[in-house]
Amino acid sequence: MSDNQNFMFVGDTQVGEGISASLARAGFTAAADLASAGVVFTYHPTQSGLEDLYFGDDGLVQQVAEDTLFVDLSPASPSFSREIYQLCSVYECKFVEAPVSVRDVTVEDAFATPGNLMVFAAGEKEAYEQVEGQLSAIARIVEFTSGIGTAQTAKVVHTLQAATGLMGIVEALASVRASKADFDAEAYLNTMEEAGLVSPAQVSFIEALNAGEIEGSYTLGIMMAELAVALTAVENEEMVLPLGDAAFHLFELLAIVGGAKYTPAALSLLFDDEEASKKAGLDWSLAEHSHGDDECDCGHDHNDPDHECCGKHHHEDEGDRGEGHYHHQDEEAFNEDGSYNEFGGYGSPSKSDYLIDEVDEWN
């Protein structure tokens, strides 16, 4: 049996540096190799990357000592997390799912600041108790949710709330910038903060939007990956979430033109002018190529009403008019009979295989 004070991190390098630094500051020791690690922390923003870590030809469970405890910090569907748990059990290892959530997406080194992180943890209680100290060193808020799958379910809820909430803030501020009224946005924000209607993290996000601060370690690509997992999880339950799908498509648009490396605060560029986009290095011609009017890379006709090959939607180039690049396609908002089309202007509902494949490109 290996010493549980010795740990090793495997996965995303930048995230790993932050997590490992927090563990070291708390007095835990980095192991020399996997075989001597009592606890192995893993994190990969995409589920396909996580699958490679555990189920690849040289998967982690084949390289560790018996009774090693795996702690996965990644976003994953509850069903996939249970598969990892079963794999670890076969190799007589322990497993705790502990998806990490970033509270303030604008923090420069988001994963190296325990006060900025929250962890939901699930698994066998004895295994959780063995790593409770390590998890508390990583994140200020640690919540045990019970059996495998429950922590990832909590993560899905947080992801959907966070992603759609941030997109709502971006659109609200865009409406202020487009308004001709003499509106004191700062006074309004102060009032909302005093009333408790916006959180400190949301205030930081709004301040970043206003200042054009888009650099940081929690990138749009990571948020896309988390949202892809969340949408896949609810799709597995035969649900469709229009707001979540709409947010993903908008994230995708920004990623296509070069914005995946920035924090989610870069979403404001969807509504900004051409000069701001160029300054950020965005190339809107890439969106035109990816979202042509008649076809996508699948080769099917997008004018066919039954076409659902990729879930991609189309965008007009409004840069020549000095307007933002994203717009609602009002003509698609209602069906012919006058009923509301929940995906009008946003494209088809996303398909899980498309989502998972797409986010790999951005991470």
Side-chain angles (χ1 to χ4, degrees):
M1 181 183 299
S2 300
D3 183 0
N4 276 347
Q5 294 296 308
N6 294 333
F7 74 90
M8 177 160 282
F9 179 92
V10 182
D12 182 276
T13 302
Q14 185 171 10
V15 173
E17 289 176 352
I19 297 298
S20 298
S22 294
L23 289 168
R25 284 195 300 269
F28 298 100
T29 305
D33 52 37
L34 281 169
S36 61
V39 180
V40 177
F41 291 92
T42 57
Y43 176 90
H44 199 286
T46 69
Q47 192 162 286
S48 55
L50 183 62
E51 183 176 8
D52 290 339
L53 288 181
Y54 282 92
F55 293 90
D57 293 336
D58 195 22
L60 294 176
V61 291
Q62 303 175 48
Q63 305 178 53
V64 299
E66 183 180 312
D67 209 35
T68 297
L69 203 162
F70 285 94
V71 180
D72 182 46
L73 305 171
S74 316
S77 67
S79 60
F80 186 67
S81 191
R82 284 189 283 269
E83 290 181 22
I84 298 177
Y85 169 74
Q86 293 168 356
L87 175 70
C88 289
S89 298
V90 169
Y91 282 86
E92 299 186 359
C93 294
K94 303 171 186 175
F95 178 73
V96 171
E97 67 175 27
V100 62
S101 294
V102 170
R103 301 170 67 188
D104 183 348
V105 301
T106 68
V107 172
E108 184 176 356
D109 202 350
F111 292 94
T113 309
N116 193 44
L117 299 179
M118 172 176 62
V119 163
F120 299 107
E124 296 174 7
K125 191 64 179 292
E126 181 182 355
Y128 164 73
E129 290 174 347
Q130 290 180 31
V131 292
E132 187 175 4
Q134 287 94 322
L135 291 175
S136 295
I138 293 170
R140 178 175 297 173
I141 299 176
V142 178
E143 181 72 23
F144 181 70
T145 57
S146 150
I148 294 293
T150 59
Q152 291 294 356
T153 298
K155 172 65 175 175
V156 166
V157 173
H158 174 264
T159 296
L160 291 169
Q161 179 182 12
T164 56
L166 293 185
M167 196 63 241
I169 291 173
V170 170
E171 293 195 348
L173 287 183
S175 74
V176 170
R177 292 174 179 174
S179 174
K180 302 296 190 295
D182 183 14
F183 181 79
D184 190 337
E186 185 175 351
Y188 172 80
L189 177 59
N190 290 337
T191 301
M192 293 299 100
E193 188 174 5
E194 290 175 6
L197 297 179
V198 291
S199 69
Q202 289 173 321
V203 172
S204 294
F205 183 67
I206 293 170
E207 290 174 346
L209 291 175
N210 288 332
E213 297 172 350
I214 58 176
E215 300 284 351
S217 59
Y218 183 83
T219 64
L220 181 73
I222 292 177
M223 177 164 270
M224 284 181 68
E226 292 180 342
L227 185 55
V229 166
L231 292 174
T232 300
V234 297
E235 185 180 295
N236 289 342
E237 302 301 326
E238 299 184 352
M239 290 182 63
V240 173
L241 301 181
L243 286 179
D245 269 303
F248 183 85
H249 284 307
L250 291 174
F251 296 174
E252 176 196 35
L253 172 60
L254 186 58
I256 286 171
V257 299
K261 61 184 178 181
Y262 296 125
T263 73
L267 287 164
S268 61
L269 294 170
L270 289 170
F271 302 91
D272 223 326
D273 56 31
E274 193 75 16
E275 183 178 349
S277 295
K278 288 181 178 179
K279 184 177 179 180
L282 304 186
D283 183 358
W284 286 96
S285 67
L286 297 174
E288 295 173 13
H289 175 74
S290 296
H291 296 288
D293 288 336
D294 296 317
E295 62 182 354
C296 68
D297 52 11
C298 69
H300 290 81
D301 181 7
H302 277 268
N303 292 321
D304 181 355
D306 296 324
H307 173 69
E308 294 184 357
C309 66
C310 66
K312 294 182 178 179
H313 58 320
H314 314 301
H315 306 268
E316 293 180 6
D317 182 6
E318 299 185 354
D320 294 339
R321 298 202 296 269
E323 301 172 3
H325 296 269
Y326 166 69
H327 67 103
H328 292 283
Q329 300 177 35
D330 293 335
E331 68 275 12
E332 296 183 4
F334 296 90
N335 297 317
E336 291 183 0
D337 62 359
S339 61
Y340 179 59
N341 172 13
E342 62 184 359
F343 294 101
Y346 291 119
S348 304
S350 300
K351 302 297 182 183
S352 59
D353 54 350
Y354 165 70
L355 287 172
I356 295 300
D357 290 341
E358 189 73 4
V359 296
D360 285 339
E361 183 177 347
W362 317 122
N363 290 278

